[in-house]
Amino acid sequence: MTQNKCTVFVMALPLGGDFSNIPIQHRRIAEGCCAVIGEERSVAMKVLAELGMTSNVRTIHHDTDYTSSESDTSNGILNLYLLNEHSDKKYKSWLGKHIAKSHKKVVFFSDNGTPAIADPDYEFIDKCYRSKVDVIPLAGACSISAGLSISGFCATSFTYLGFPPKQPHERKTFFKDIVVNSRTVVFMERPYSLDRVVNTDLQSIEKKLHLRRVCIIIDIDGANYQVLRGTVSQVKKMYVKVKAPFIVVVEG
């Protein structure tokens, strides 16, 4: 790491949302940072409260006049930059350049787990490198690896497909691709779509999966944690309608 150069610490958060479990070494680094990048303000403020960093927080995102803070490095103000699915490429590009010249130490986290894997924030990380910013991981939980580890399916080699598209035709193609993939497959979906995945999407490919099993891990590290594992028909019988974060592992 170069002296007098900006460093972005990519910090993983606990999966269940209990931020009191943030490791001590991560806390020490975060508390010494002069700016923070989070996903949603409500969650980011809870993290900052746990770290004792809620005084004089100014929130900046793509819908604010963010360029007005270009040269503002006022003492006592903690800039909270929001970076999420609504952030456009122009904002991400500006943010990468801005922190490179305005900040020395920045901590970057998403709502839970590890940033820039299931989120579009990899583009921001790319901009950081282009702006000569040092990027250091503060390793921690990742729902993808956690789900694979308890699936009981071979994960020597696997395919991560991300989130299914919302458009019907593209979504249908997404699930067809699972069938033709011989590796173990992992995908994620939004909490409100669990019922659709179980009763519609997986059912549409059930016959083509033959005896390949699925493992749905619901609310990892949370109060409503449960695992539905078996054939699609078996999983449907176990399923009770719920709205919660989840990932799906399809046996290879």
Side-chain angles (χ1 to χ4, degrees):
M1 187 171 62
T2 307
Q3 283 188 335
N4 299 320
K5 184 178 180 181
C6 179
T7 301
V8 170
F9 295 92
V10 182
M11 183 173 73
L13 292 177
L15 292 172
D18 183 359
F19 302 131
S20 65
N21 291 328
I22 297 174
I24 293 175
Q25 61 270 32
H26 293 190
R27 290 172 178 268
R28 289 173 179 167
I29 291 173
E31 289 165 0
C33 289
C34 53
V36 173
I37 301 171
E39 187 174 355
E40 299 296 337
R41 189 179 188 280
S42 59
V43 178
M45 290 303 293
K46 290 178 182 178
V47 176
L48 293 179
E50 180 61 37
L51 298 173
M53 299 170 62
T54 53
S55 298
N56 298 322
V57 176
R58 177 177 58 180
T59 304
I60 301 167
H61 53 84
H62 74 287
D63 277 339
T64 61
D65 183 17
Y66 55 84
T67 56
S68 66
S69 61
E70 189 79 28
S71 59
D72 186 358
T73 56
S74 304
N75 291 330
I77 294 179
L78 177 68
N79 282 346
L80 167 59
Y81 302 97
L82 297 186
L83 186 61
N84 51 45
E85 61 187 75
H86 304 296
S87 304
D88 53 34
K89 289 188 176 182
K90 182 179 178 182
Y91 173 74
K92 292 177 185 178
S93 180
W94 170 84
L95 184 55
K97 295 174 183 177
H98 174 65
I99 64 170
K101 65 181 182 180
S102 300
H103 301 295
K104 294 292 178 64
K105 294 175 66 179
V106 179
V107 64
F108 169 38
F109 52 80
S110 56
D111 284 353
N112 56 61
T114 303
I117 295 180
D119 303 311
D121 304 329
Y122 69 89
E123 295 173 331
F124 164 70
I125 297 295
D126 183 55
K127 296 296 182 184
C128 286
Y129 284 115
R130 292 174 185 271
S131 299
K132 309 301 180 184
V133 172
D134 286 323
V135 180
I136 297 177
L138 301 181
C142 174
S143 60
I144 299 167
S145 56
L148 280 167
S149 71
I150 60 107
S151 69
F153 304 153
C154 179
T156 303
S157 178
F158 67 91
T159 301
Y160 173 61
L161 294 180
F163 286 74
K166 293 182 179 180
Q167 297 299 322
H169 177 71
E170 294 176 358
R171 192 176 183 93
K172 189 175 181 180
T173 300
F174 177 95
F175 283 92
K176 283 184 177 179
D177 288 344
I178 292 176
V179 175
V180 299
N181 195 321
S182 60
R183 296 177 176 177
T184 292
V185 172
V186 186
F187 68 91
M188 306 176 77
E189 182 55 302
R190 299 152 190 89
Y192 54 80
S193 296
L194 178 54
D195 190 68
R196 180 182 182 184
V197 169
V198 173
N199 291 310
T200 302
D201 298 320
L202 290 178
Q203 186 174 350
S204 71
I205 60 172
E206 179 180 4
K207 291 182 179 179
K208 293 182 180 179
L209 284 177
H210 301 293
L211 295 178
R212 288 172 68 181
R213 296 167 294 179
V214 300
C215 183
I216 302 178
I217 304 97
I218 302 171
D219 202 18
I220 292 180
D221 204 25
N224 298 310
Y225 170 76
Q226 61 177 308
V227 176
L228 309 180
R229 186 175 183 273
T231 64
V232 173
S233 295
Q234 290 170 335
V235 165
K236 282 188 64 178
K237 291 178 182 178
M238 300 177 210
Y239 172 67
V240 177
K241 190 171 183 179
V242 64
K243 179 182 176 182
F246 69 98
I247 70 168
V248 180
V249 184
V250 180
E251 185 176 27

